[in-house]
Amino acid sequence: MFRASRSAGPGPAGAMLRWVNWVGRSLGFLWVGLLAFVFYPPSGRGALTVEAVGYGAAGLGVAAWIGMDAVRRAAPYRDRFLPTILGMVAVGTGAAAAAAAGADSVGSLPLVVYGFVATIAAGSEVGVAAAIGVTAAGVLATLVSALAFSVSIGSLIGLPLVIASGVVIGRNRGAYRIQAEQAAALLAQREQLQAEQRRADRLEERTRIAREIHDVLAHSLGALSIQIQAARSVLADRADIDRAAELLTAAQRMTAEGLTETRRAVHALRADTLPLPLDQELARATDTYAQRYGVAARFSTGGPARPVPPDATIAMLRIAQEALVNAAKHAAGQEVAVRLDYRDADVRLAVANDLAPAGGSGRGPDGAAAVQTANAGYGLTGMRERLQILSGTMEAGRDDGQWVVTAQLPLPRPDRPGSPENMAR
């Protein structure tokens, strides 16, 4: 109630709450005055005088309290003057309540209640020292007035106790309010973090989709470019229309295979799995390469086969496809070997192709000239990025007359929770 005017936000709802607060304070104080002076007036002149002065001082305090909340220009001075204003209310109503009690007037009860309200506000709205000062001033004024009018022992103890108890309730109320504000701030921060997490997840998913589609299309279009350039070379160098037609037919078939591979990639993204295990996917890619380019290509495995997570399977497959396309571009007609090794802690893929003879023509088995595709050097970079996401490593370079691409990916141990074997059980 007491901080509603400060904490109410902008807009119609906040303005309405402030008006309700101001009207409630004003009507409450007027009702206290009616009870103290109209319905239950004190019998003695001295008591009436002290009660009227105290009520008047408290009234000035209530008016200033409302003004501090209502006038925007007064907002910067509120924290400085609010303890004094609340002290006026506590002192005025406390002295008036004791005077009324000394005159055996029931009006002391509503007056001391408003002093109680003032100390509650002090406990919840101002600092600890200021709240204690407001309460001490109210209690002291009440005691002085009570002693002056020789009130009963019950009133002498009860009236100051009522005023003093307000500050305790106010401090507790302030602590609850701070906790509520902190909880609201934490909730807002949590919602913001969740929104940022959702945004990061969306960006990560977009990056994953973009990388997968890029790699599939780069592999398919790269192979298609090689085939078309081979057909053009056959036509230009040997005018072999029949062989060129075969190459173009193969290129058309590769286009259909590329569309099928793209559909498989989209299915893998949706289902987070591939139709075949890693060794079968690699064997299939190796056979396709051998048939497509008419070169010797062999696939072998080592170690007991283990289930490989879908993301690792896709990464290894794309790396093998990229390495095979590079072999077709840079070492046309040379033998290629693909090997997959299952080891205790990881899986290792090696794609090796013989280098073209030094000073050779670089032509394939059909005599086609060496071909190139516009990869802008992103092939190795893309492969490394895929592996880094999965904490893997990759190396590529010459080794004893061969170009070797080696990739390693860690795998969960079979006896650990979350491993593919345990998840499948």
Side-chain angles (χ1 to χ4, degrees):
M1 171 182 175
F2 305 110
R3 288 186 65 90
S5 59
R6 295 188 65 186
S7 59
M16 179 61 69
L17 185 59
R18 286 191 294 270
W19 276 104
V20 169
N21 191 269
W22 300 335
V23 171
R25 292 177 191 171
S26 302
L27 293 181
F29 192 74
L30 291 176
W31 178 246
V32 168
L34 289 175
L35 291 175
F37 296 101
V38 177
F39 296 105
Y40 306 102
S43 57
R45 181 181 296 273
L48 178 61
T49 302
V50 173
E51 191 172 343
V53 172
Y55 183 79
L60 292 176
V62 171
W65 188 7
I66 296 174
M68 281 287 177
D69 291 340
V71 181
R72 292 185 178 180
R73 293 182 179 179
Y77 308 100
R78 190 178 192 277
D79 293 338
R80 182 188 304 176
F81 294 106
L82 184 59
T84 302
I85 293 172
L86 295 176
M88 290 176 59
V89 177
V91 169
T93 53
D104 296 328
S105 172
V106 182
S108 63
L109 295 178
L111 287 169
V112 77
V113 168
Y114 218 93
F116 173 72
V117 168
T119 54
I120 289 180
S124 61
E125 294 195 40
V126 301
V128 177
I132 294 175
V134 170
T135 305
V139 169
L140 181 60
T142 305
L143 288 173
V144 171
S145 180
L147 293 174
F149 288 95
S150 301
V151 301
S152 64
I153 297 297
S155 298
L156 182 63
I157 298 175
L159 293 178
L161 185 61
V162 169
I163 293 177
S165 63
V167 73
V168 178
I169 297 175
R171 295 305 300 175
N172 290 334
R173 179 178 177 273
Y176 292 144
R177 185 188 65 251
I178 292 174
Q179 291 177 359
E181 292 174 352
Q182 291 176 343
L186 290 175
L187 179 60
Q189 184 178 11
R190 178 183 177 184
E191 292 175 350
Q192 182 179 2
L193 290 176
Q194 289 177 341
E196 292 295 329
Q197 182 63 45
R198 289 191 295 268
R199 179 175 177 273
D201 291 342
R202 287 195 299 269
L203 291 177
E204 182 179 357
E205 184 65 14
R206 290 176 184 175
T207 303
R208 178 191 177 200
I209 294 173
R211 182 185 298 110
E212 189 65 24
I213 298 301
H214 167 271
D215 289 351
V216 171
L217 292 180
H219 166 70
S220 300
L221 295 178
L224 181 61
S225 175
I226 293 173
Q227 200 75 4
I228 293 174
Q229 291 182 63
R232 185 174 62 182
S233 176
V234 168
L235 284 174
D237 295 346
R238 295 182 295 176
D240 189 344
I241 297 177
D242 292 337
R243 180 55 184 159
E246 293 178 3
L247 291 173
L248 290 176
T249 301
Q252 184 178 8
R253 184 174 62 253
M254 290 165 58
T255 302
E257 292 174 355
L259 292 175
T260 302
E261 187 68 20
T262 302
R263 295 190 186 99
R264 293 178 74 244
V266 172
H267 173 77
L269 288 172
R270 289 177 175 175
D272 202 23
T273 185
L274 283 175
L276 299 176
L278 175 57
D279 54 349
Q280 298 182 33
E281 290 284 353
L282 293 175
R284 177 176 175 272
T286 305
D287 291 341
T288 300
Y289 176 83
Q291 296 172 8
R292 180 175 294 170
Y293 299 106
V295 298
R298 66 181 187 275
F299 172 73
S300 60
T301 61
R306 294 170 53 191
V308 179
D311 51 356
T313 298
I314 294 174
M316 285 296 199
L317 176 60
R318 298 296 177 242
I319 289 171
Q321 290 173 336
E322 179 70 20
L324 290 172
V325 170
N326 287 338
K329 288 189 295 183
H330 304 296
Q334 302 301 315
E335 183 177 352
V336 177
V338 179
R339 180 173 178 82
L340 178 68
D341 289 303
Y342 294 97
R343 305 193 292 189
D344 291 340
D346 60 16
V347 60
R348 180 178 183 272
L349 169 68
V351 181
N353 61 269
D354 295 335
L355 296 173
S361 62
R363 295 177 180 269
D366 295 315
V371 294
Q372 295 180 350
T373 56
N375 60 12
Y378 291 119
L380 294 177
T381 301
M383 286 191 273
R384 287 195 176 93
E385 288 179 351
R386 273 187 174 274
L387 291 174
Q388 287 174 356
I389 293 174
L390 301 174
S391 301
T393 59
M394 191 199 79
E395 296 180 358
R398 296 174 180 266
D399 184 12
D400 194 19
Q402 290 185 320
W403 183 265
V404 181
V405 176
T406 304
Q408 294 181 203
L409 275 178
L411 293 179
R413 294 178 62 87
D415 56 347
R416 289 182 180 176
S419 64
E421 293 90 335
N422 290 337
M423 293 176 66
R425 293 175 183 173

